[in-house]
């Protein structure tokens, strides 16, 4: 069996076939997959039949597990969470704001793996925005304004007790096991332009879901600048729309992508299992 990598033709993303992820992979295969991942930023492996053991083994080929706060792991697993929505669920959609996973951490996970178990017949695509491309094409004037700026990230808008998934959400019928905490008030800074820890390529690292301000700027100034930047980061030219299939595993690179969930599948269940890849020594 030889591995085939077929680019999506969009701003990032490739479909990988010719590899069975329910079996241990050779070092050569892992190396080839890592190379393809660094090149395409999102890899999609269709037609896999994976148990959580397989998902965990695959994840660890690329780094140690990340730390996943605020969402309880599924029963019997420390590092697998369920991204879940029932057919009749009325709670606001999870992860609909553009974000890079856990960007409020000191060292956010370099990647995320997501395996499609129950996939609705339509809707529920995951959108990705290539932030190398967004930076490379950024108008010079805007780039000059953000050069050297440092953003303040926090989980509080979502996961503090008074955040989106906190008390306001407590009476909702959300099926995901989200555990808000005062710890979500913590803040962490990251530069708006960052270098990728493996390729050294620069990208934008700005994230609507978690940024709460910019160092040295008033809130009004920061919001205005962030909105201008987001419009550019997520313009059509930078996007890849990922369409799910049951039995498909994807892995994406949080260092150079934003992503978000979409709805459009009311009346259908959706269930995926997720792990994160920590930075380890990177
Ligand atoms: O549900 C989705 O499509 C994406 C959810 C998400 O943001 C994540 O799992 O990190
Ligand atoms: Fe996410």
């Amino acid at each position: 069996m030889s591995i085939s990598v077929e680019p999506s033709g969009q701003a990032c993303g490739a479909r990988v076939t010719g590899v069975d992820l329910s079996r241990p992979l050779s070092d050569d295969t892992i190396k080839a997959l890592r190379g393809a991942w660094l090149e395409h930023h999102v890899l999609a492996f269709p037609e896999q039949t994976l148990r959580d053991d397989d998902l965990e083994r695959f994840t660890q080929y690329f780094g140690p597990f990340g730390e996943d706060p605020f969402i309880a792991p599924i029963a019997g697993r420390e590092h697998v969470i369920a991204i879940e929505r029932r057919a009749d669920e009325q709670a606001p959609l999870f992860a609909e704001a553009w974000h890079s996973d856990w960007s409020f951490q000191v060292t956010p996970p370099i990647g995320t793996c997501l395996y499609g178990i129950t996939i609705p017949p339509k809707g529920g695509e995951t959108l990705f925005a290539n932030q190398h491309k967004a930076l490379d094409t950024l108008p010079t004037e805007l780039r000059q304004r953000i050069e050297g700026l440092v953003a303040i990230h926090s989980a509080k808008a979502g996961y503090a007790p008074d955040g989106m998934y906190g008390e306001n959400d407590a009476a909702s019928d959300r099926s995901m096991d989200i555990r808000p905490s005062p710890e979500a008030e913590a803040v962490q800074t990251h530069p708006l332009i960052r270098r990728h820890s493996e390729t050294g390529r620069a990208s934008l690292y700005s994230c609507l879901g978690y940024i709460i301000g910019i160092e040295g700027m008033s809130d009004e100034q920061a919001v205005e600048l962030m909105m201008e930047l987001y419009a550019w980061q997520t313009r059509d030219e930078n996007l890849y729309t990922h369409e799910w299939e049951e039995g498909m595993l994807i892995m994406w690179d949080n260092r150079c992508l934003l992503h978000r969930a979409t709805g459009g599948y009311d009346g259908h269940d959706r269930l995926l299992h997720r792990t994160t890849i920590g930075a380890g020594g990177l």
Side-chain angles (χ1 to χ4, degrees):
M1 217 164 35
S2 75
I3 294 182
S4 152
V5 179
E6 192 189 327
S8 71
Q10 301 179 43
C12 55
R15 192 175 168 99
V16 183
T17 52
V19 59
D20 177 357
L21 305 182
S22 71
R23 291 162 185 273
L25 302 180
S26 69
D27 289 348
D28 283 350
T29 299
I30 296 164
K31 205 165 159 208
L33 294 180
R34 186 155 207 130
W37 187 47
L38 294 176
E39 183 178 350
H40 299 289
H41 317 310
V42 188
L43 297 183
F45 302 87
E47 293 175 20
Q48 302 290 330
T49 305
L50 305 184
R51 297 161 307 139
D52 290 318
D53 281 342
D54 302 321
L55 175 59
E56 289 180 342
R57 186 183 57 247
F58 178 80
T59 305
Q60 289 174 288
Y61 289 140
F62 300 97
F65 289 115
E67 278 211 20
D68 295 313
F70 311 125
I71 304 180
I74 60 170
R77 301 277 159 179
E78 250 180 85
H79 300 287
V80 179
I81 67 172
I83 304 291
E84 184 171 17
R85 190 174 177 84
R86 283 188 323 273
D88 59 351
E89 192 164 321
Q90 299 298 314
L93 207 63
F94 174 74
E96 202 177 11
W98 285 104
H99 64 282
S100 179
D101 286 333
W102 307 148
S103 72
F104 51 83
Q105 293 182 331
V106 180
T107 311
I110 62 170
T112 302
C113 300
L114 197 55
Y115 179 60
I117 296 170
T118 306
I119 298 301
K122 63 178 170 57
E125 295 86 8
T126 306
L127 305 184
F128 292 92
N130 181 336
Q131 298 306 297
H132 288 311
K133 218 168 166 220
L135 180 65
D136 291 347
T137 57
L138 196 65
T140 311
E141 181 275 330
L142 183 50
R143 177 150 185 164
Q144 282 167 349
R145 274 191 286 140
I146 66 162
E147 204 85 50
L149 291 183
V150 173
I152 304 164
H153 297 240
S154 163
K156 71 179 179 189
Y159 299 99
D162 62 354
M164 167 151 177
Y165 305 119
E167 290 140 16
N168 300 331
D169 200 42
S172 87
D173 57 350
R174 189 174 296 286
S175 49
M176 283 181 61
D177 192 355
I178 301 182
R179 312 259 174 100
S181 156
E183 285 175 24
E185 298 286 343
V187 298
Q188 182 57 47
T189 56
H190 296 290
L192 278 182
I193 301 176
R194 279 205 332 176
R195 288 204 175 271
H196 191 284
S197 60
E198 282 175 89
T199 65
R201 267 184 85 185
S203 74
L204 285 168
Y205 194 65
S206 175
C207 167
L208 191 57
Y210 295 126
I211 287 186
I212 58 164
I214 297 182
E215 281 187 349
M217 271 194 184
S218 71
D219 285 353
E220 290 87 61
Q221 278 179 316
V223 168
E224 203 177 311
L225 178 58
M226 294 324 321
M227 295 322 284
E228 191 180 348
L229 202 51
Y230 289 134
W232 190 271
Q233 289 178 281
T234 59
R235 68 189 194 130
D236 286 350
E237 290 86 336
N238 297 333
L239 298 191
Y240 162 56
T241 299
H242 178 73
E243 296 186 11
W244 283 97
E245 297 165 18
E246 268 175 18
M248 178 183 268
L249 174 75
I250 73 173
M251 67 185 296
W252 69 79
D253 192 328
N254 284 307
R255 296 165 288 187
C256 56
L257 297 175
L258 294 180
H259 65 279
R260 74 175 186 91
T262 67
Y265 56 95
D266 284 356
H268 297 278
D269 292 332
R270 183 174 186 266
L271 174 66
L272 306 99
H273 278 187
R274 186 184 105 147
T275 54
T276 48
I277 308 168
L282 292 172

